[in-house]
Structure formats: C-alpha cells, structure tokens
Amino acid sequence: MADKEDADSIIMRMRNLGARNIRFEISDLFDRSQSTVVPQNKYHELATEGLEFPLPGIFHDTDSTYKSVYHDKIGVLKPDFDSTLFRLPLSDGLALTLAEPHLDGSPLPTYPRHIARKQLDRLGELGFTLKSAFHLEFYLVAPGDSISAELLASFLNTLQGIGMEPLFLKTGKLPNYIDGTYKEEPGIKGADFAHLFKTFMKEATVGRGADVSFFSKYLRDPQFQKNCFLYFRHSLWDAEGKKDLTHDPESPLGLTETAQHWLAGILEHMPAITRFMFPTDFCWKHRSTKTETVNDKWEKDGSGSSMRLHAGGEGKTFVETRQGTGRCNPYLLMAAVVAAGIDGIEKKLPLPEAGAESGKEVPTFHRKASEAFEADEVLINALGAGEDFIKLFKAKYEGIDE
C-alpha cells in the first residue's frame, strides 16, 4: 500500500483532476463492474490501509451451489494508482481507480486481473512486453431503434476521456450493432481498457433512454440471435516496449522466430483456450460458424480460422484470436493466451503451415471445452487454476442462459 508521502501525492493528483471523490472498481468473474465510492477526506486511510470489501460480492457465490473458500470472508481492495487513476468523463468531480482484492495480506489468487498480471510477469521475466487491445462488438437498444452520429460521438468522447485512444467505432452489418477497438496498450492496460470499454459504453447511454449489451440478450428477432464478438489482438515487444519483436522483414511470414513459437503455442493450447472464449452454454448455442470459427488453424489476414496473422510491417504486425464473445472475461482470456504463448516459446514449438489442422479434437460445445481446459496441465499450472478456481468457474458459468 501507499505510504503517507505517496498518499499526499495521490491526493494532489486527484485535486489536479478536479476530483472530490474516488471510485474503487473491480470486475467479477463475468467481467461486470462493481464499485464503491469514497470521499477524498478518507483517502489517507484508504491509500495506506485499503478498503474493506466482502469477497462473496466478487464471485456472487451466494447464488451458487458451490461455496468457495472465500465465502463469508472480508478482503481488502488495494488500488492500482500507477496506471488507472483518472477523472471520469461522465461524472462531476469523480475519479476512478481499478483495484484488486487481497486476503490476509496476499492477492486473491482467483481474481481475474491478478491471474492475468501473473502471466504478464512471467512474460517479463523472459524479456518481453505484451502490447494488446480487444476488438468488441455490442448491441444498442435506442429510442426508435436508431444509432445517431451524435451518440457515436458521445461514445468516442467517453473513451477518450479516460485516456483511451479509440481507433474507430462503426455500425455493424446487423441492425443496431456497433463495433470498435482502441490502440494497443502495454501490459495489463490492454485488458483494463476492454473492461472499461464495456463499463463506459453502458454508462454513456444513461439518461438517453437507451442501453447496450455485449451479450445479445436484447435481440428480439430469432434470425439475429448471435453472439457479440470479442477479438484479442496482440504483439510482442522488448522489455521497455520500444522494439517490435513480432515483425521480421526478412522472414517470408513477416514473423520473428520467437513470434512463430508464440503463435504455435497458442494453437497448441487452443482447445483449452476456447473455455475462456465461449464461457457459457449460451455462447456456444448462439455462435456463428462464419465469424466464430472453432479450430486450431491460423491464416494470414483471413477470417476463417481461430488465429489471424496481420503482417503490417514494423510496429503494425500482430496476431489475433478470431473467437470470443462479449461474455468472456478479457483478463482470463489474456492470461490463457499468454500462458500458451510462453509455452510455445519455451518449448520452441514449430509453427504449422497456414490453414493446416493438427488433428486434435477442438471443442464445439460447452462440456468439451471444460474437459479440454481441465486436461491441459500447462494452462492449469500456469494460471494457478487449482481445484477451487475450477469449481468456482464451473459454478459461475455452466448452465447460464442469457
């Protein structure tokens, strides 16, 4: 936690932001926002000691048949001021910081953001930084079922107000669908912005008589029953985040050997990773075979495989998961992909030819995805996904219907 000098500095930063209060925000296993607002005059205490928080609120295990070891425990939220303290664009005098729960002085091992940070730390020990962003789609319920340019501009202003650099927001091919993405960010910030993207797109519609969903739960016409997609694009850089270690102009593929091993590792563990891309029964039932392809192939600038390689030159080359829905937790998806990529680097796995299938069974429904994840010892061990996490994950996601 911060000491008194750090607390003084943070309060000064808040005053410079014109913020009188601060919002501590966390995400639950569903990546839904939960928050507590505290006044600035309490901040020395909160910065040095943290904010008490009931841990069942993170997992909602009061509505589940499985009671985790954290049931009825009181934890402490510790904020991440270094990368997430900013003023909210939609509120008067309110700042926000993302926080992580701790218990008995240690981070909660099953908290998604902690799991993702642990994998990024492993990657850092190998001398790499991950730069990443998520491409998200959402469905708008608006007055008159219309999407105005003024509303899109409001969305963009909201994202820019929290320091995000949106690349675009555009209307989709289906009625009332919008998709957008932002500039790749280093480290955990790539997933933080995906979480905040969801949070603030919903908040931006407050007072407009509208709402948004990243889960397609509002669709009225059966022909439009589909998932809102969520793609994860990323690239490898050096420890300082200055040198692109993904692109190699001398390679026929445009990829460094390290990046080829990285992509091979993700493909190797794709059956298990699907557990995080399609986390509920609903996701599997309403996936589109054209846009949510489930296989262990990759293509160069194609959309018919699980992984896409975009070889765009120095600083513009990335790999992208072409599966994923708005229901998935970006922190857990990031963690699984990074753990798989690290395995590919450490084992120097060879990259299959583009379009080639390995012959492994890739899940096409929920139970098979769960079995694939629980059988993948590499991901289980890397994520620290012990018995409690697996039971908790099952209890929260299985059988859910939007």
Side-chain angles (χ1 to χ4, degrees), residues 184 232-235 246 255 259 262-263 266 307-310 317-321 337:
E184 290 183 346
F232 178 45
R233 73 170 191 271
H234 58 274
S235 54
T246 305
L255 283 179
W262 172 271
L263 178 53
I266 298 171
M307 294 297 300
R308 169 198 176 205
L309 166 64
H310 176 71
T317 295
F318 58 82
V319 294
E320 179 183 60
T321 61
V337 168

Side-chain angles (χ1 to χ4, degrees), residues 79-98:
D80 180 358
F81 298 119
D82 291 335
S83 60
T84 64
L85 181 62
F86 47 79
R87 179 171 177 173
L88 296 184
L90 300 174
S91 302
D92 181 24
L94 182 62
L96 178 144
T97 182
L98 294 180

Side-chain angles (χ1 to χ4, degrees), residues 206-223:
V206 173
R208 295 174 175 268
D211 196 5
V212 301
S213 172
F214 290 86
F215 314 133
S216 301
K217 63 184 177 182
Y218 291 112
L219 294 182
R220 295 181 291 270
D221 191 330
Q223 70 173 316

Side-chain angles (χ1 to χ4, degrees), residues 11 37 53 70 78 91 112 124 130 135 139 154 174 190 206 209 255 258 264 283 292 297 329 386 393 402:
I11 288 181
V37 177
F53 191 86
Y70 309 113
K78 295 189 177 182
S91 302
L130 188 79
H135 184 174
Y139 178 74
S154 174
L174 294 177
V206 173
L255 283 179
T258 298
C283 296
E292 296 158 27
K297 300 188 299 182
N329 188 306
F393 199 61
E402 301 290 344

Side-chain angles (χ1 to χ4, degrees), residues 254-276:
L255 283 179
T256 63
E257 286 189 15
T258 298
Q260 292 180 46
H261 296 321
W262 172 271
L263 178 53
I266 298 171
L267 294 170
E268 174 70 19
H269 296 281
M270 186 57 70
I273 294 173
T274 60
R275 181 66 179 89
F276 300 96

